[in-house]
Amino acid sequence: MAKIFCVANQKGGVGKTTTTVNLAAGLAKVGQRVLMVDLDPQGNATMGSGVDKRTLTHTVYDVLLESASVAQARVTSQKLIDGGCSYDVLGANRELAGAEVELVDVERRERRLREAINAVDTEYDFVLIDCPPSLSMLTLNGLCCAHGVIVPMQCEYFALEGLTDLVNTIKQVHANLNRDLELIGLLRVMFDPRITLQQQVSDQLKSHFGNKVFDTVIPRNVRLAEAPSYGLPGVVFDPSSKGAQAFVTFAQEMVDRLHQGLAA
Ligand code: ADP
Ligand code: MG
């Protein structure tokens, strides 16, 4: 059975999509079978995985509205296969923005994704879900099917404030909807060790959250920012870059944590 993780943070631009696609590619690189689910109507994780969101016949939208199964809607990009880090993509595009409203009146609306993924979860080791920058019905669908939440964050002054809302949401979902859900860890991203404030916030995070802070730190690295314009994760675009190497190390840390049962 696959381990299912949401990459979530209600702030925009904190590195969720970069984390999702590069962790997916990193996990593929260390031999894991991965399904990446794009739950953001912006479709950046889809495009960043070499899949053109405009040409998709079915997306996660159809899956949420039960007009397609995951098996029907998932795709694999030739670019990822050629890059040797292949994972399946359940894509998204603008259409997904409508799901928020269309799901309001339906039954089991927060469990749609969970039920759909259940049907394929023996085919994967990991399912990674890229969440939109909100605590919406879409994010709730992600949280209801996940075992854990990975929170990418920049070590900035207001980082801890936003975290409180997310941690409370995770607690509520755990109590009411999904007993399996837990905060797996905080991932420090876009990190620049030369900035004293970032070091200080990083130290604060570790003293507050202990082993919930991943050991791996993702540096600020321009190759990671350039990769999406080539429709590739940084891990595939420039495997020797510092950013790509950090994500492969992070992928290995996730696999190791699972084996140690910390995230099980
Ligand atoms: P989110 O999905 O949370 O909105 P993104 O992953 O799209 O955030 O990242 C926001 C911006 O920061 C993007 O332009 C991305 O390329 C850039 N970025 C993310 N991580 C890094 C990094 N480690 N180094 C440099 N740029 C990064
Ligand atoms: Mg994003």
Side-chain angles (χ1 to χ4, degrees):
M1 269 208 354
K3 278 287 174 185
I4 306 172
F5 298 101
C6 276
V7 179
N9 187 324
Q10 73 275 30
K11 283 195 184 182
V14 292
K16 290 181 290 299
T17 299
T18 305
T19 298
T20 310
V21 300
N22 282 288
L23 178 57
L27 286 167
K29 196 163 192 159
V30 299
Q32 305 294 302
R33 298 167 303 163
V34 182
L35 171 68
M36 192 212 72
V37 180
D38 191 350
L39 260 192
D40 188 335
Q42 294 185 70
N44 293 344
T46 304
M47 298 294 279
S49 300
V51 174
D52 188 342
K53 64 183 176 183
R54 294 157 300 198
T55 61
L56 284 170
T57 323
H58 295 298
T59 66
V60 69
Y61 170 84
D62 302 288
V63 169
L64 289 171
L65 292 175
E66 296 181 340
S67 58
S69 65
V70 176
Q72 287 168 324
R74 67 186 165 193
V75 292
T76 316
S77 108
Q78 191 58 44
K79 280 183 169 181
L80 293 184
I81 296 171
D82 295 344
C85 296
S86 179
Y87 54 88
D88 288 349
V89 173
L90 179 53
N93 56 31
R94 291 299 318 157
E95 206 179 20
L96 182 58
E100 196 77 48
V101 176
E102 287 166 62
L103 285 172
V104 164
D105 282 332
V106 306
E107 276 174 40
R108 308 171 281 105
R109 58 178 181 269
E110 71 284 342
R111 292 182 199 276
R112 291 291 178 104
L113 188 62
R114 180 187 184 127
E115 288 166 10
I117 286 178
N118 274 347
V120 295
D121 84 344
T122 54
E123 297 175 45
Y124 300 102
D125 301 303
F126 285 87
V127 177
L128 299 179
I129 304 170
D130 187 32
C131 290
S134 61
L135 298 173
S136 60
M137 182 53 65
L138 290 173
T139 300
L140 194 60
N141 259 276
L143 295 176
C144 279
C145 75
H147 300 108
V149 185
I150 296 167
V151 183
M153 54 189 306
Q154 287 171 259
C155 290
E156 287 173 348
Y157 184 65
F158 288 116
L160 284 166
E161 272 189 18
L163 215 51
T164 317
D165 291 337
L166 184 59
V167 168
N168 285 336
T169 302
I170 293 170
K171 278 187 188 152
Q172 278 177 19
V173 173
H174 174 87
N176 300 307
L177 296 165
N178 177 8
R179 278 277 159 204
D180 293 335
L181 189 71
E182 60 173 324
L183 172 66
I184 299 299
L186 307 174
L187 177 67
R188 292 162 287 172
V189 298
M190 298 189 227
F191 194 75
D192 184 345
R194 293 166 302 182
I195 301 175
T196 312
L197 177 65
Q198 292 208 1
Q199 282 289 2
Q200 287 170 348
V201 173
S202 174
D203 292 343
Q204 265 181 14
L205 277 182
K206 278 197 278 192
S207 60
H208 270 81
F209 290 94
N211 73 350
K212 294 267 185 208
V213 181
F214 290 110
D215 295 334
T216 311
V217 176
I218 309 297
R220 183 171 283 283
N221 179 251
V222 70
R223 302 301 269 169
L224 290 174
E226 287 168 352
S229 62
Y230 296 86
L232 288 171
V235 165
V236 180
F237 174 60
D238 185 357
S240 64
S241 65
K242 287 260 180 330
Q245 287 177 349
F247 271 113
V248 175
T249 304
F250 178 47
Q252 191 58 54
E253 182 179 353
M254 284 296 296
V255 172
D256 293 345
R257 279 193 178 222
L258 276 182
H259 285 158
Q260 289 158 10
L262 282 178

